[in-house]
Amino acid sequence: MQDRFAFVPATTDRLADIEAVFDDCADGRNCRCAYWYLPNADDKAGWGEGNRSWFRSLLAQPRPPGILGYCQDEPAGWCGVAPRIVFDRLRRSKPFAAVDDRPVWSITCFIVRKPFRRQGLSRLLLNHTVEFARANGAECLEAYPLDQHRASRVGDLYPGALAMFLDEGFAEVARRLPTRPIVRLECR
């Protein structure tokens, strides 16, 4: 199965492919990961075209903000990752407040286009995101997945499923909300 997929850093030369992934997702089409990066008021004010424009400027930064997955050369999925310090939402959040003063990287969001769901792509995106973060100097990765066993509704899996992270070696380090633990993976 894995040989059908390829993974690359999300860069400006892949903008059309990245947009194809986001545009196949109701919230992703409007959010463009601004939820994590921008203050709440700015994210809401930019919902839609404003966030699309903002995301294009994010792609122009030297460090790619995530990983893009392809299935047989067709854009299929996205995983957002960056140093925790760049995410305004995480700096302000009480439930996702820093566990300690380590300089962790954060995995914030998964999007898989409808034709490629239920094929293990999220897990592959996670594995390649870990590789990408390690290659770019991350010492520790952190994520904020949904604990599907405790959630009353499980439709919003943008942050990923807890079981997937635990299966891939992440460990729960904090839980300030019943359904949203903080998990970590040592990268060195």
Side-chain angles (χ1 to χ4, degrees), residues 90-101:
L90 294 176
R91 286 195 313 267
R92 295 173 185 251
S93 172
K94 288 181 182 175
F96 302 127
V99 173
D100 52 33
D101 60 357

Side-chain angles (χ1 to χ4, degrees), residues 39-80:
N40 198 41
D42 294 346
D43 168 41
K44 287 182 178 178
W47 194 251
E49 193 53 44
N51 287 349
R52 178 186 298 260
S53 176
W54 166 83
F55 185 79
R56 289 176 180 160
S57 69
L58 180 66
L59 278 181
Q61 303 289 323
R63 183 194 32 76
I67 294 293
L68 184 61
Y70 289 87
C71 180
Q72 298 175 335
D73 298 323
E74 190 172 345
W78 158 267
C79 183

